[in-house]
Amino acid sequence: MINANSQPAAVDVDVAIIGAGPSGAVAAALLKKAGHSVLVLERQHFPRFSIGESLLPQSMAYLEEADMLQAVVEAGFQYKNGAHFVHGDKTSSFDFRDKHTPGWGTTYQVERAAFDDILIRRAAQQGAEVRFGHTVQALETGDAPVLEVQDEAGSAYAVQARFVLDASGFGRVLPRLLALESPTRMPTRAAIFTHVRDGLPAGSTDRDKICIAVHPARRDVWYWMIPLAQGRASVGCVAEASFFDVQEAEREAQLRALIRAEPTLGALIGDAPFLMPVRHIGGYAANVERLYGPGYALLGNAGEFLDPVFSSGVTIALRSAHLAVETLKRQLRGETVDWLAGYDRPLRRGIDTFRAFVDRWYTGELQDIIFYPDQSPSIRRMISAVLAGYAWDETNPFVADPVRRLKALHEVCTTL
């Protein structure tokens, strides 16, 4: 049930979920399938714009588990089967269907306003109660946590729950309210981005792949171009925050100049009209000491966010929902559970795999590997599996020991 204007009243529920984005929607659906009462509290109204439009194939399994896959497939989003990397005259394409790990090899590139709205409405159709325009003001932690909530009219009410999941994304509600933030190991980066009417001629680019291009003069600056349905594309640039130190009114000219400076994007996009004002997001990397506490757990970006370069955000969010719900179902049955062993450590193993790849992208080591002209087919399939989101498959050597394996592979690529 979706109710945007619920009258404030005290609520008693098995699980309260803060945030109606992908992790909150999938967690709500999975908990309802297990027979639990669920209330989702979302301060915004959907549909609403969000960034993070290129999904990874690993995420499809979690959408299927939550009975959301058919709705996503039928929505008409742009099909995706891989990633295309560009640096000057060097190119390298990965087809995610050709990978080390079994499972989905295709997915979609989505406008998140529509995608997120589909997911939360499917959760509501499965019995979760969703309240839009309701903001969590405080949390009393413990075995029976209590949320203080305020609606848009300013009326307050309490939610008594057996457990709370924070799926608030970049809003990071519980990390802020409970002072859970800890220093992130990621440098402070930012992005500027927009949507364009690309009008790309057939065959000019592979619309089934995200395009990631490296700046001609700086390897730590990169671009994305994500073809979307109906002739649109998302385009943006990521760099250290100081790189975008211009006034807001100058951002459109800055992004246009950056697009023209990269030969591939300049040829594909050039002067294509921007369909919305150029947006800026910065300081998005985040971390916490623990992903759980007394009566609560943090999902997806509410706990940790690395970097957008490999589009890992939604996959980590959905993986976190799956792992948290599996642990929480046992706790709600009365079992004694270990959130560190059952949720925190398993989720972080995959995050650490992505982190190893992200770190080496910015040092240039992973770029050397990706653009290496004489790639081993078997190693290439291992790299492809991680890029497709299978960062928890420890049969893959680049998951089981990513730092050492990437270092060794880089040495091979730069000495032969």
Side-chain angles (χ1 to χ4, degrees):
M1 177 180 67
I2 291 180
N3 192 340
N5 299 295
S6 298
Q7 292 299 314
V11 178
D12 195 334
V13 68
D14 287 338
V15 184
I17 299 176
I18 307 170
S23 63
V26 166
L30 295 177
L31 287 164
K32 284 304 301 181
K33 286 180 68 175
H36 298 292
S37 57
V38 179
L39 172 64
V40 181
L41 300 162
E42 169 59 55
R43 68 179 179 85
Q44 295 184 291
H45 288 269
F46 282 30
R48 53 87 178 98
F49 179 85
S50 182
I51 197 65
E53 297 139 321
S54 196
L55 306 182
L56 300 183
Q58 166 78 86
S59 62
M60 302 293 276
Y62 305 120
L63 297 176
E64 189 171 28
E65 179 186 27
D67 293 334
M68 295 176 171
L69 185 58
Q70 181 178 346
V72 171
V73 169
E74 292 178 350
F77 295 122
Q78 169 65 45
Y79 171 82
K80 175 186 175 183
N81 63 22
H84 180 64
F85 295 89
V86 179
H87 187 192
D89 60 357
K90 296 182 289 188
T91 64
S92 182
S93 288
F94 286 81
D95 187 325
F96 293 158
R97 295 166 295 187
D98 184 19
K99 63 187 188 313
H100 169 84
T101 306
W104 284 86
T106 63
T107 185
Y108 296 97
Q109 299 181 144
V110 302
E111 291 190 55
R112 284 287 301 278
F115 176 76
D116 291 8
D117 193 49
I118 287 169
L119 299 196
I120 194 59
R121 291 187 182 280
R122 278 294 300 141
Q125 288 167 6
Q126 295 177 60
E129 182 180 355
V130 183
R131 295 186 180 183
F132 291 114
H134 289 236
T135 301
V136 174
Q137 304 282 4
L139 171 67
E140 180 182 325
T141 63
D143 293 337
V146 178
L147 291 161
E148 294 180 19
V149 185
Q150 187 175 79
D151 69 7
E152 291 176 308
S155 299
Y157 63 99
V159 175
Q160 174 89 52
R162 297 171 66 189
F163 204 84
V164 175
L165 294 174
D166 184 353
S168 59
F170 291 123
R172 298 175 62 75
V173 170
L174 293 190
R176 287 188 296 101
L177 292 177
L178 303 177
L180 304 176
E181 301 276 7
S182 68
T184 174
R185 287 175 272 173
M186 309 300 292
T188 301
R189 298 192 179 97
I192 57 173
F193 54 92
T194 188
H195 284 183
V196 301
R197 177 71 62 193
D198 58 53
L200 299 174
S204 61
T205 189
D206 186 350
R207 295 192 70 90
D208 297 341
K209 292 179 174 62
I210 183 176
C211 177
I212 298 174
V214 182
H215 189 277
R218 290 187 52 170
R219 297 179 79 184
D220 64 329
V221 178
W222 63 275
Y223 308 76
W224 77 74
M225 185 184 74
I226 303 171
L228 301 169
Q230 300 176 341
R232 296 169 69 99
S234 172
V235 61
C237 184
V238 176
E240 290 190 8
S242 59
F243 188 80
F244 301 116
D245 189 17
V246 300
Q247 297 297 315
E248 184 176 353
E250 299 173 304
R251 284 181 188 151
E252 181 171 339
Q254 184 181 37
L255 181 57
R256 182 69 72 185
L258 284 164
I259 291 170
R260 289 171 177 157
E262 202 293 309
T264 297
L265 296 189
L268 291 174
I269 295 176
D271 294 322
F274 292 169
L275 299 180
M276 65 183 190
V278 172
R279 297 177 182 241
H280 174 276
I281 183 173
Y284 42 70
N287 192 21
V288 291
E289 288 292 337
R290 295 192 307 174
L291 296 172
Y292 65 97
Y296 69 86
L298 309 177
L299 306 184
N301 296 346
E304 183 164 4
F305 183 77
L306 299 174
D307 190 90
V309 64
F310 299 122
S311 305
S312 60
V314 172
T315 295
I316 292 172
L318 299 189
R319 176 76 175 187
S320 73
H322 166 83
L323 286 173
V325 168
E326 288 301 301
T327 306
L328 182 53
K329 286 192 299 186
R330 292 190 291 113
Q331 179 170 312
L332 294 176
R333 289 197 299 264
E335 299 178 28
T336 300
V337 301
D338 183 341
W339 278 89
L340 179 62
Y343 176 62
D344 193 304
R345 285 176 180 161
L347 182 61
R348 288 189 194 268
R349 279 199 289 270
I351 293 173
D352 287 344
T353 299
F354 282 124
R355 180 182 288 106
F357 276 63
V358 169
D359 287 345
R360 281 148 191 83
W361 171 265
Y362 283 103
T363 63
E365 295 168 79
L366 186 58
Q367 295 178 36
D368 291 337
I369 292 170
I370 285 173
F371 293 114
Y372 184 64
D374 189 21
Q375 298 177 358
S376 157
S378 61
I379 292 178
R380 190 179 159 80
R381 285 192 288 271
M382 296 172 190
I383 299 294
S384 182
V386 175
L387 297 179
Y390 293 92
W392 291 268
D393 174 20
E394 297 200 16
T395 69
N396 184 342
F398 289 89
V399 172
D401 193 359
V403 173
R404 186 174 68 85
R405 291 285 184 169
L406 287 170
K407 180 181 178 181
L409 182 56
H410 181 253
E411 291 175 356
V412 170
C413 293
T414 54
T415 57
L416 291 183

